[in-house]
Amino acid sequence: MKIICIGRNYADHAKEMKSEVPKEPVVFMKPDTALLPKRNPFFLPDYSNDVHHELELVVRINRVGKSIEEQFAHRYYDEVSAGIDFTARDIQKECKEKGLPWERAKAFDGSAPVGNFITLPKGKDIQDLKLSMTKNGEVVQSGSTKDMIFTVDQLISYVSQFITLKIGDLLFTGTPAGVGPVAIGDTLECFLEERSLLKVNVK
Ligand code: MG
């Protein structure tokens, strides 16, 4: 399986990063070793002093597809969860300045915790889901998939032009505003429609 991630998919996050709102989706990937095994703590990598949490809606692909048309994209998933795109912000900044790829900042071991998947309720619009994250019990990120720049279906259509999607692939769909640093001892909890789907202790 592979983990496909979208950067800057919420205007308020692009703004907090002082980045342009993209005209096309920003795509990058994480390896399967970025998945954090369930109930394992997240160990801060020692080569970064500024690891940030990015709360994201995660979509699990359930059919093989290539060059999927947007109108058919909804047939390629039926389960969603919340995940964290952990980002070594200091290293990402360095990569951006040098025009280098982001893997060192984004693809390290454990950088992609994913919560329990839930079936998208019938009639529930994937573009109308509330997601939020608490850090040590206080809300630090909260948003709605209504505010995505590119919808899930547009992302699936876009990405599948270049990359064949396979069963079990995960799509991280970008973070709303409110990203921030994590420290040893922090507990992060991620909610989708007020349901707690993921809890991560930082060590
Ligand atoms: Mg992200």
Side-chain angles (χ1 to χ4, degrees):
M1 59 80 66
K2 53 191 175 287
I3 305 168
I4 299 162
C5 305
I6 305 300
R8 288 177 219 160
N9 199 27
Y10 289 80
D12 57 356
H13 172 63
K15 201 171 156 197
E16 75 178 346
M17 296 301 295
K18 298 184 175 65
S19 298
E20 277 174 44
V21 172
K23 293 186 182 68
E24 272 185 273
V26 174
V27 180
F28 62 95
M29 291 178 71
K30 297 189 189 230
D32 59 1
T33 41
L35 280 179
L36 186 67
K38 287 243 180 323
R39 283 178 285 278
N40 275 29
F42 169 68
F43 289 96
L44 281 174
D46 56 9
Y47 53 79
S48 169
N49 295 311
D50 195 23
V51 173
H52 281 201
H53 55 77
E54 295 190 358
L55 164 70
E56 309 203 359
L57 176 80
V58 180
V59 178
R60 179 149 66 189
I61 299 298
N62 64 1
R63 290 174 65 178
V64 176
K66 167 85 181 158
S67 299
I68 300 161
E69 284 180 49
E70 186 186 329
Q71 58 178 319
F72 301 123
H74 66 275
R75 297 182 184 172
Y76 289 78
Y77 58 84
D78 57 8
E79 287 186 318
V80 292
S81 189
I84 305 171
D85 166 20
F86 276 121
T87 302
R89 197 68 76 200
D90 45 357
I91 295 179
Q92 187 192 31
K93 185 167 177 279
E94 189 189 312
C95 294
K96 281 181 178 173
E97 283 166 5
K98 294 181 181 167
L100 294 173
W102 290 0
E103 274 76 359
R104 274 201 311 138
K106 291 274 200 184
F108 52 87
D109 286 358
S111 64
V114 179
N116 296 322
F117 279 87
I118 54 170
T119 306
L120 202 59
K122 276 245 180 312
K124 186 73 192 166
D125 185 353
I126 196 166
Q127 296 309 140
D128 187 15
L129 297 174
K130 281 190 279 254
L131 61 166
S132 63
M133 170 191 275
T134 59
K135 184 167 92 173
N136 307 325
E138 282 188 29
V139 177
V140 285
Q141 288 197 265
S142 130
S144 165
T145 57
K146 270 184 187 162
D147 297 322
M148 284 183 182
I149 297 169
F150 301 102
T151 65
V152 170
D153 291 355
Q154 286 171 337
L155 294 173
I156 286 174
S157 175
Y158 182 81
V159 169
S160 69
Q161 293 177 64
F162 317 108
I163 300 167
T164 298
L165 300 181
K166 295 171 81 173
I167 296 167
D169 287 351
L170 301 179
L171 178 68
F172 274 65
T173 57
T175 187
V179 301
V182 293
I184 290 171
D186 283 346
T187 298
L188 304 171
E189 193 166 5
C190 302
F191 301 83
L192 191 61
E193 293 286 289
E194 268 102 54
R195 276 174 75 174
S196 173
L197 298 182
L198 174 67
K199 205 169 182 176
V200 178
N201 294 313
V202 180
K203 297 221 166 162

